[in-house]
Amino acid sequence: MRFKVLLSCVLVTFLANGYTDESDLAITGAESNNPELTAFINESSLPSIESTNYSVVKNKHESLIIGLALGGGAAKGFAHIGVIKALEENGIKAQIVTGTSAGSMVGSLYAYGYTPAQLQAISYQLDELNLADFTISKNGVIKGEKLQHFIDARVKNTPLQKLKLKYTAVATDLDSGQSIGFNTGDTGIAVRASCSIPNVFTPVLMNGHRYVDGGLSAPVPVTYARKAGATFVIAVDITAKPEQGRSGFLSNFDQTINILSIKLLNDQLKQADIVIKPDITQLSSFGFDKKKEAIDLGYKATMSQMPLIKQKLKEFQEAQTN
């Protein structure tokens, strides 16, 4: 609750100051001193949505490589842990993980090797005030360095390319609007960039580019899982609108972000084999006190689709042997 009040106040203050033209968006950002985080793939190198529908077109004799694409949604992202728990209980283990925003945080920890039980324990350690390093600047109101250090500490400074699972964190180039997937270099910086909501977090400046929240360009990064080699993609969408009738600054802000990303979201989801949508309508993107509820909702949604998931996996494997 303290975090909600603080965040609401700073958002109102900065939005009221008029972020209405390009000069306000000319953000200096947080300079990265890690030269390794330079390799990335961008949307222009990915298969076009028009020419390839991966949920329909399959090449014979493809190996089954399961990709897990975790979408953004701030505090609702704890639902990803429940999804992972349900999948693993049923013997379904992703070999490739991609994450946007909150999904990048959970995805990086999962790719490092944490079990669902360990992920849940880590989530209970998260205190939004401890992770939010507030600053007074037109560049944003949260620096994001604490988030970066939190991730780096949990993965023991393991770079992206050395995580146990093949992993991509998705961010957005603020100047070009280009979707960018980081797959080498400092894990904490990549996650920080993926989570950097514009005008809330200061952008992450690397190699002359300013990176912000990946949800602006790839709300659920299915195409990145395909690009990394996944032949069967399970997407997790936690962008459902807030409960009908709810109002207030934070609820309206949450819904505005969702509306802006609808087309991008649909373009990504149509390329997935399975889409899991936890019923998080009663949760807010800023409700960090609802971690257990979010995890349980992710678990429940996945278990409800488990027959379909297993059926599609079986059909995929049978198609490759015929």
Side-chain angles (χ1 to χ4, degrees):
M1 179 59 69
R2 292 173 298 166
F3 178 75
K4 289 184 181 180
V5 172
L6 282 170
L7 183 57
S8 181
C9 289
V10 294
L11 282 172
V12 169
T13 299
F14 278 80
L15 292 176
N17 284 339
Y19 284 87
T20 56
D21 58 34
E22 286 190 19
S23 63
D24 284 328
L25 291 174
I27 301 170
T28 302
E31 180 68 61
S32 165
N33 59 5
N34 188 326
E36 272 192 54
L37 194 57
T38 57
F40 54 80
I41 52 178
N42 60 48
E43 203 67 15
S44 62
S45 66
L46 298 175
S48 67
I49 292 169
E50 292 74 21
S51 64
T52 308
N53 185 337
Y54 284 105
S55 63
V56 176
V57 178
K58 301 291 182 184
N59 296 322
K60 286 191 174 183
H61 310 301
E62 283 184 323
S63 298
L64 175 62
I65 302 174
I66 298 175
L68 184 61
L70 305 177
K76 294 181 287 189
F78 294 112
H80 292 315
I81 298 174
V83 172
I84 293 169
K85 178 182 178 182
L87 290 174
E88 291 219 344
E89 283 183 359
N90 285 271
I92 300 171
K93 175 78 173 181
Q95 295 131 288
I96 291 170
V97 181
T98 58
T100 288
S101 197
S104 75
M105 187 190 314
V106 175
S108 67
L109 298 174
Y110 184 47
Y112 173 73
Y114 286 112
T115 66
Q118 289 172 326
L119 290 174
Q120 187 162 345
I122 291 172
S123 76
Y124 293 153
Q125 298 169 7
L126 287 172
D127 184 304
E128 57 271 20
L129 284 179
N130 289 337
L131 290 180
D133 40 5
F134 289 100
T135 183
I136 304 300
S137 168
K138 287 185 71 175
N139 297 349
V141 296
I142 298 175
K143 290 185 287 185
E145 292 176 359
K146 285 188 176 182
L147 171 61
Q148 174 185 328
H149 297 326
F150 178 87
I151 295 297
D152 277 333
R154 295 308 179 280
V155 302
K156 299 181 180 178
N157 294 311
T158 304
L160 293 162
Q161 68 272 21
K162 292 187 178 180
L163 296 173
K164 291 182 180 179
L165 300 178
K166 196 171 184 180
Y167 175 69
T168 302
V170 179
T172 303
D173 186 314
L174 180 60
D175 297 299
S176 68
Q178 191 76 36
S179 177
I180 301 295
F182 293 106
N183 47 34
T184 67
D186 187 285
T187 300
I189 293 176
V191 171
R192 173 185 173 188
S194 183
C195 293
S196 293
I197 303 171
N199 297 330
V200 177
F201 285 80
T202 56
V204 177
L205 181 61
M206 293 178 287
N207 306 308
H209 292 266
R210 300 174 299 164
Y211 297 108
V212 293
D213 196 308
L216 299 175
S217 55
V220 182
V222 176
T223 49
Y224 284 96
R226 296 290 183 189
K227 180 66 177 179
T231 56
F232 188 97
V233 178
I234 300 171
V236 186
D237 174 19
I238 53 171
T239 60
K241 64 181 181 180
E243 185 179 11
Q244 188 171 0
R246 292 180 63 183
S247 60
F249 179 80
L250 293 179
S251 291
N252 291 338
F253 180 79
D254 192 11
Q255 180 64 348
T256 299
I257 297 298
N258 291 339
I259 290 171
L260 292 173
S261 66
I262 285 176
K263 184 181 184 302
L264 291 170
L265 174 65
N266 290 336
D267 287 344
Q268 291 286 323
L269 295 182
K270 70 171 64 173
Q271 300 189 68
D273 295 280
I274 291 288
V275 178
I276 298 172
K277 295 187 177 185
D279 182 12
I280 42 75
T281 52
Q282 297 183 10
L283 301 181
S284 166
S285 292
F286 306 102
F288 283 81
D289 57 336
K290 302 291 185 181
K291 298 168 188 172
K292 187 178 186 305
E293 290 90 335
I295 293 170
D296 290 344
L297 289 170
Y299 181 85
K300 180 180 179 181
T302 308
M303 291 301 291
S304 69
Q305 285 194 250
M306 194 54 63
L308 177 61
I309 296 172
K310 290 183 175 180
Q311 176 189 333
K312 286 204 169 188
L313 284 170
K314 182 180 178 181
E315 290 173 353
F316 180 96
Q317 291 173 314
E318 290 176 345
Q320 306 318 308
T321 58
N322 293 335

